Amino acid sequence: MPDKAKIAVFISGSGTNMAALLYASRMADAAYEIVLVASNNPEAGGLSLAQAEGIETFSLPHKGMSRADHDSAMEQAVKDAGAEYIVLAGYMRILGAEFVDRWAGRMLNIHPSLLPKYKGLDTHARAIAAGDKFGGVSVHIVTPELDDGEILGQLKVAIQPGDTPEALASRVLFAEHQLYSRTLNDYVSRERDPAYLLDKVRQLALALPETHERESHGSPGWRAGSEKSGKYFAYFNDQHHGSEHIALLVKTGSMDELLGLVEAQPHAYFKPAYYGASGWIGIILNRSGVDWDHVSDWLERSWRSVAPKSATKLIDAADEF
C-alpha cells in the first residue's frame, strides 16, 4: 500500500473540521494521515482533542510577533512533523504571501460560501440579504489573494424562509464536515493516479523544443528530433514488468550514476527491467513529496543527451533571458 500523504492542520478554535478530517483519516480507504495540529491560540479546544487522539500539536500566540516571524515558526513546526500539505480548518489568521507561495498547490482552505461569491467574513448574512436560494461551502487551494484559489469542491445548502445567519451556519457546518475530508482525500490521491501523473509528465516533456510523443511497447514515450528520425529520451512506465512503481524512465550518464542513485535514494529511484541495463533510471512518481522541478530537470537532461544541436541552442538561448 502506498504511503499516506502527511497533513498538518492549522486551527484557531474548537477544531470541528479538524476532528472530521482526523476521524475520516482513520477509514480504511483514506489516502492521508494527520501528523500535526497547530494553532495561533494555545487555548484552542481542538488542541486537546488532537492530543487525546495521539496527534502531535504545536501552539504559538501571534500577539507581539511580526507576521513573518509567526509564519516562520508555524512553518518550522510543519517541517519538523514531516507534513507535505497544510490544511486550514478555522485558522483565523491571514498567512503571508511568501509562506503561501512556498506551499503553492499544497495548502487547502475551507470557506463557508459558494465561491466566488462572498469572500471574506459574514458570508451567511450576505447570502441571506442577497435573497440567494442557497448558501454553501467551498474547498479551495490557498493563494496570496483571499479566498481566490482554484475551487476543488463545493456543497450547496438550502436557505430556508426566515433563516438567520446562525441557523444557516449550523447547517453549513454539517456540509463542511462531509466535504472537506472527501475533497482532501481526492486531492492527495490524484498524485498517485496514473492518468494525473501521465498528464504532468506529458506537459513537461512536450514543453521541450522539437519533442513529440510516440507509444513504445504499449507505453507513452517522448522523442527529440523529427517524427522520422527522432530519438527517445523518456518513457512513462505504469507498473510494467511486475513493478509496483508508476515511474518516469530517463537516461543517466553512466551505470555507476544509476546504481549510486538507487542505493542512496531507493524511495525515489529504481533500476527498471530491460531499460536499466542500458543506463535508464526509473524516477518513482506514485509516492509522497515528488519534486516536479526535479523531474523537469531530469527530463531536460535526458532530452539534451539525444536532441539535435539546433534544438539545444533554442533552449540555451531561452535560458539566457
Side-chain angles (χ1 to χ4, degrees):
M1 177 180 291
D3 292 339
K4 293 186 176 184
K6 295 176 173 56
I7 308 296
V9 183
F10 284 12
I11 65 172
S12 292
S14 61
T16 62
N17 266 308
M18 178 276 295
L21 291 169
L22 170 60
Y23 295 126
S25 75
R26 293 177 174 172
M27 300 293 288
D29 60 348
Y32 69 90
E33 61 178 325
I34 295 176
V35 297
L36 176 71
V37 174
S39 181
N40 63 324
N41 174 17
E43 303 302 318
L47 292 172
S48 59
L49 187 153
Q51 291 164 359
E53 293 291 348
I55 306 300
E56 180 181 345
T57 62
F58 173 83
S59 62
L60 180 68
H62 61 268
K63 291 183 179 179
M65 296 184 69
S66 69
R67 189 175 304 278
D69 286 346
H70 190 265
D71 284 356
S72 178
M74 295 287 283
E75 185 175 20
Q76 189 59 54
V78 171
K79 292 179 178 179
D80 290 345
E84 300 156 318
Y85 298 85
I86 297 173
V87 172
L88 308 182
Y91 187 63
M92 305 305 292
R93 180 169 170 79
I94 295 174
L95 296 167
E98 291 185 358
F99 185 4
V100 172
D101 285 341
R102 286 193 295 273
W103 288 82
R106 293 188 172 269
M107 186 183 294
L108 278 63
N109 183 46
I110 191 162
H111 182 73
S113 80
L114 296 173
L115 292 172
K117 283 187 171 182
Y118 314 128
K119 299 175 182 180
L121 302 175
D122 302 320
T123 58
H124 307 304
R126 291 156 69 190
I128 292 170
D132 292 352
K133 293 183 178 180
F134 295 95
V137 57
S138 305
V139 175
H140 66 93
I141 298 294
V142 177
T143 63
E145 295 74 30
L146 183 65
D147 301 327
D148 197 48
E150 176 189 354
I151 296 170
L152 302 177
Q154 291 185 316
L155 275 178
K156 292 181 178 180
V157 176
I159 296 177
Q160 301 176 8
D163 240 342
T164 64
E166 294 75 19
L168 177 57
S170 67
R171 299 197 306 279
V172 168
L173 187 60
F174 289 127
E176 292 179 21
H177 294 169
Q178 296 298 313
L179 180 66
Y180 213 174
S181 61
R182 297 185 188 192
T183 304
L184 175 60
N185 206 70
D186 288 346
Y187 187 70
V188 300
S189 294
R190 74 180 190 174
E191 297 200 347
R192 293 169 174 81
D193 174 47
Y196 172 78
L197 295 171
L198 173 57
D199 186 59
K200 290 278 288 186
V201 170
R202 178 178 283 129
Q203 290 180 39
L204 294 173
L206 294 179
L208 295 165
E210 297 187 31
T211 293
H212 58 275
E213 183 172 331
R214 181 178 294 183
E215 189 172 287
S216 175
H217 302 289
S219 297
W222 293 272
R223 304 185 345 148
S226 69
E227 288 280 355
K228 183 177 181 179
S229 61
K231 296 180 180 179
Y232 284 100
F233 66 91
Y235 299 95
F236 184 80
N237 189 311
D238 183 5
Q239 299 176 313
H240 284 187
H241 307 299
S243 171
E244 63 180 326
H245 305 305
I246 301 172
L248 171 66
L249 308 188
V250 290
K251 297 170 72 71
T252 60
S254 68
M255 186 60 67
D256 285 344
E257 181 187 19
L258 187 159
L259 296 176
L261 286 168
V262 171
E263 181 179 1
Q265 302 178 63
H267 66 287
Y269 299 104
F270 71 103
K271 182 182 177 183
Y274 304 109
Y275 293 95
S278 300
W280 291 74
I281 195 168
I283 303 172
I284 301 169
L285 302 177
N286 57 331
R287 61 183 174 88
S288 300
V290 173
D291 183 340
W292 285 99
D293 288 337
H294 188 59
V295 172
S296 180
D297 290 343
W298 264 112
L299 278 167
E300 182 178 335
R301 176 184 165 183
S302 189
W303 172 86
R304 284 181 177 275
S305 71
V306 299
K309 288 185 178 180
S310 59
T312 60
K313 287 180 180 179
L314 284 175
I315 204 166
D316 288 340
D319 287 343
E320 291 179 2
F321 289 93

